[in-house]
Amino acid sequence: MKLQDLRTPISVGLAIVLLVLPLVCNAYWLDVCVSIGLYALLALSLNVILGQAGIFHMGHAAFFAVGAYTTAVLNTLYHWPVLWTMPLAGVAAALFAMAVARPIIHLRGDYLLIVTIGIVEIVRIALLNDVAGLTGGSNGIFGIARPTLFGFRISKGVQFYYLVWCMVGVSLLLFRCLWQSRFGRALNYIKEDDIAAEGCGVNVTRYKLAAFVLGAFWAGMAGTVYAAKMTTIAPESFNFMESVIIFAVVILSGGSQLGVLISAFLFIGLPELLREFHDARMLIFGFAMMAMMVWRPQGLLPPLRRRYRVAENSSSQGVSPKDVWNDSAVSE
Amino acid sequence: MTLLCLNDVSKIFGGLIAINDLSFNVEEGSIVGLIGPNGAGKTTVFNCITGNYTPETGSIFFDSKPIAGLPPHRIVELGIARTFQTIRLFGRLPVLENVLAGRHCRMKAGILSCMLHTAPQRREEREAVARCMEELRFVGLADNYSEPAGGLSYGNQRLLEIARALASDPRLIILDEPAGGMNDQETAALVDTIRHIRNRGITVLLIEHDMRLVMKICEKLIVLEHGAMIAQGKPEDVRRNPDVIEAYLGADDAQW
């Protein structure tokens, strides 16, 4: 039985487990699951850039940081309610992405990768140096308020759990629609062959930039949730290693959204499960990753093919409309 | 009416003059062939027209609008579609999605309507799929629409590139060695296909080494050698032109 054939049972099982998890697990594991949800959110947004468009971007933590700091500043200095800052955190990250990506978007593969690594470092060091006297240097910003939703104050772990995973659910739906559209196809054409894509009439620069801006917008919103959850943020939470983990989650996933979720669980959950091995745990984790890349170099779950309804009535066979793909129900 | 007009176009790579002050016109509704020995600069001319290269001097007009230096996707939007000499399909994507790539520039759905699958977005998508299936029927690949493009035979891949170009509603289609890698039977079918394209009102400009094909379908030939035009006119006149005979047979002369 191939992993691809198990998509539907895996998705259904995962959804049920996620719904009932807060009933059975303790505060510690709930916290781990909130963290997994945040990484899933970040990885889903990076998947648009890296998985769909094939742009090697290893600086996603920078956009995450811009979002988190936007929320922190607006909340602590100007007393905006936390959730109200979410769209603005997204917009700030998106604008930042547009400004830094525009001059480098034409770079290819490994060159772009190096520049994006530079972006994370620039952001981290800028935050450390207390940009405009707003970011609080190495201490960061503390005292961020808890979010309220329709007068309901979100402060407990379980409430954050549902907030984060609801956002993951909505993102899954929206990104799936995006994938099954002109926009998603354009990103795939660019990934396959950008010169051919441009030659067919796809505005390659514009779509690459759009992928960046959209991914950054989502990372910025994830930053709001992170700031609200932690109530304290500091530059060291947005270092290069965070970028690498988000990047690795997407690479391991194979590019499908279900793959991203499973991969986020493995990446964040596994090191926690291995805690009893103390010092050896990162070693075991490293070996598991290596085995994975040997066993499945294409990643856990590559995306399915898109489905199209094609009317064949005008062809000689005169068959009624049928599905293009014989794959099992699309769960991704 | 003149659809495409090149005026003193030159393209220089380092010290090499790939095209030297080239001027020619393509009339609307005609089938024009661009021929010449290997290395004469034929594909470079195509790349200048389609925006892959920016010529150093001269100007290119399409439907009286200057297009030299525009990015390729803009030129496709204006109505010039192309195929590539070395096939450039999206090999891992299905045949239908390859044709949809050509349709992309005629679709309008923005990022938000794509995320929300709004009613206009869905209608546009349905229409695009139907239109692309028509193009696949036109080149005879409708039954293969769900296969990965990379799995098609060489000849069928060339036809798929033509379908992809046609899906963008071009007024001028530029074919770079469409018969390359085709057997005699496929080439004969290609001749019909090219005639049908013209009958749809689309002007055809092609590079081809298969002289039988060129002589059979082209109404006008332009002969290049070392980046400059040495002859142009009707195929039967060009064939008798002494300069052309020398350009093509010159190598043999050198052996004597």
Side-chain angles (χ1 to χ4, degrees):
Chain A
M1 192 102 177
K2 288 198 308 211
L3 212 51
Q4 284 285 8
D5 305 329
L6 292 169
R7 270 167 185 273
T8 318
I10 291 175
S11 332
V12 174
L14 198 63
I16 294 171
V17 168
L18 283 171
L19 269 176
V20 301
L21 207 62
L23 302 176
V24 293
C25 67
N26 61 28
Y28 172 73
W29 282 105
L30 209 59
D31 217 46
V32 172
C33 287
V34 172
S35 183
I36 292 171
L38 270 173
Y39 275 103
L41 212 50
L42 288 168
L44 284 175
S45 64
L46 180 64
N47 191 39
V48 176
I49 305 170
L50 173 62
Q52 295 297 313
I55 303 168
F56 280 5
H57 163 49
M58 215 189 247
H60 219 46
F63 305 146
F64 185 41
V66 171
Y69 270 88
T70 306
T71 291
V73 168
L74 286 175
N75 180 257
T76 56
L77 259 64
Y78 302 98
H79 307 292
W80 282 40
V82 168
L83 287 184
W84 284 68
T85 66
M86 192 183 271
L88 222 75
V91 169
L95 287 176
F96 177 69
M98 187 130 43
V100 296
R102 189 64 195 83
I104 60 167
I105 203 74
H106 62 282
L107 295 177
R108 268 154 217 244
D110 34 6
Y111 296 97
L112 187 80
L113 186 82
I114 291 167
V115 179
T116 57
I117 291 171
I119 292 171
V120 199
E121 279 304 284
I122 290 168
V123 167
R124 187 182 64 87
I125 293 167
L127 293 174
L128 268 178
N129 284 292
D130 201 5
V131 197
L134 286 173
T135 66
S138 57
N139 294 328
I141 299 176
F142 42 87
I144 301 157
R146 294 298 191 179
T148 45
L149 198 60
F150 308 117
F152 178 77
R153 191 157 169 272
I154 298 172
S155 58
K156 290 208 200 99
V158 61
Q159 293 158 346
F160 271 105
Y161 175 90
Y162 283 117
L163 174 69
V164 168
W165 283 99
C166 279
M167 281 181 69
V168 172
V170 172
S171 309
L172 281 172
L173 285 176
L174 292 177
F175 286 151
R176 193 197 127 70
C177 283
L178 193 70
W179 169 78
Q180 173 79 60
S181 78
R182 160 181 196 261
F183 191 94
R185 281 195 305 269
L187 297 187
N188 286 173
Y189 301 142
I190 292 168
K191 183 182 184 179
E192 287 284 311
D193 182 344
D194 56 350
I195 292 174
E198 178 79 28
C200 293
V202 178
N203 188 342
V204 171
T205 310
R206 187 165 153 254
Y207 273 89
K208 277 183 167 178
L209 210 56
F212 248 98
V213 168
L214 181 71
F217 183 79
W218 240 260
M221 293 199 300
T224 298
V225 181
Y226 177 79
K229 168 77 175 46
M230 304 310 286
T231 67
T232 301
I233 53 170
E236 284 316 309
S237 313
F238 309 99
N239 59 22
F240 173 56
M241 201 54 210
E242 292 303 309
S243 283
V244 174
I245 292 172
I246 306 164
F247 189 89
V249 167
V250 175
I251 295 292
L252 181 76
S253 74
S256 70
Q257 304 214 74
L258 181 59
V260 167
L261 289 194
I262 298 170
S263 170
F265 267 96
L266 290 179
F267 249 94
I268 317 304
L270 212 53
E272 296 298 330
L273 279 173
L274 294 172
R275 267 198 195 279
E276 57 183 295
F277 296 100
H278 302 288
D279 292 346
R281 78 183 174 114
M282 287 322 276
L283 189 70
I284 299 172
F285 182 69
F287 275 125
M289 288 300 127
M290 277 169 66
M292 185 64 216
M293 281 291 127
V294 174
W295 174 56
R296 271 186 93 81
Q298 76 275 42
L300 284 169
L301 283 172
L304 284 177
R305 290 156 163 188
R306 293 180 185 81
R307 291 153 65 100
Y308 296 96
R309 289 190 101 60
V310 172
E312 294 193 348
N313 43 13
S314 45
S315 79
S316 51
Q317 282 88 1
V319 185
S320 57
K322 73 167 195 185
D323 284 332
V324 177
W325 304 105
N326 298 322
D327 293 8
S328 57
V330 178
S331 55
E332 184 262 349
Chain B
M1 186 203 128
T2 302
L3 185 62
L4 180 76
C5 168
L6 274 75
N7 254 332
D8 294 330
V9 171
S10 299
K11 178 71 202 170
I12 300 157
F13 296 109
L16 177 82
I17 301 169
I19 314 174
N20 193 2
D21 283 343
L22 180 68
S23 304
F24 66 81
N25 291 343
V26 175
E27 300 302 315
E28 183 152 26
S30 59
I31 303 178
V32 177
L34 188 61
I35 62 170
N38 283 328
K42 305 183 294 290
T43 299
T44 308
V45 173
F46 275 18
N47 280 331
C48 285
I49 299 170
T50 57
N52 292 72
Y53 296 153
T54 305
E56 264 74 33
T57 65
S59 47
I60 304 172
F61 293 94
F62 176 69
D63 194 20
S64 318
K65 284 187 287 286
I67 58 165
L70 289 181
H73 71 266
R74 277 289 300 142
I75 289 174
V76 178
E77 275 168 29
L78 288 173
I80 303 181
R82 74 172 300 178
T83 66
F84 292 89
Q85 181 181 10
T86 50
I87 295 172
R88 290 196 97 130
L89 289 166
F90 309 108
R92 288 186 299 176
L93 299 180
V95 166
L96 176 60
E97 283 190 9
N98 273 271
V99 187
L100 281 165
R103 197 66 199 156
H104 180 90
C105 64
R106 301 292 170 226
M107 297 168 79
K108 293 189 177 66
I111 187 162
L112 270 178
S113 35
C114 284
M115 276 183 128
L116 301 172
H117 276 204
T118 56
Q121 189 269 349
R122 277 178 285 150
R123 191 183 330 115
E124 181 186 72
E125 192 80 4
R126 266 199 311 278
E127 284 166 4
V129 169
R131 170 64 200 276
C132 290
M133 284 306 292
E134 269 172 44
E135 295 301 347
L136 281 174
R137 268 176 222 116
F138 180 78
V139 298
L141 289 173
D143 292 338
N144 308 80
Y145 68 95
S146 61
E147 296 168 17
L152 294 178
S153 73
Y154 209 67
N156 281 347
Q157 291 193 17
R158 291 231 177 259
L159 290 176
L160 178 55
E161 276 213 327
I162 293 175
R164 182 172 71 179
L166 287 171
S168 68
D169 282 339
R171 292 176 64 195
L172 169 69
I173 188 167
I174 295 184
L175 308 173
D176 200 343
E177 293 196 30
M182 284 189 174
N183 61 32
D184 287 353
Q185 208 181 346
E186 288 169 325
T187 307
L190 179 72
V191 169
D192 284 341
T193 306
I194 294 174
R195 286 206 177 112
H196 281 129
I197 292 172
R198 197 265 309 271
N199 292 345
R200 283 168 58 171
I202 300 166
T203 310
V204 180
L205 174 62
L206 58 90
I207 291 177
E208 187 49 65
H209 280 298
D210 187 330
M211 280 305 146
R212 275 179 307 166
L213 180 141
V214 169
M215 293 295 165
K216 215 189 284 178
I217 57 172
C218 291
E219 287 137 11
K220 176 182 171 184
L221 288 182
I222 294 154
V223 191
L224 286 190
E225 196 195 11
H226 302 309
M229 186 165 66
I230 54 170
Q232 67 169 328
K234 291 198 172 104
E236 50 270 34
D237 299 338
V238 164
R239 202 201 321 230
R240 284 193 292 270
N241 185 311
D243 290 340
V244 176
I245 294 169
E246 201 193 311
Y248 269 87
L249 301 177
D252 294 279
D253 281 344
Q255 285 172 5
W256 291 95

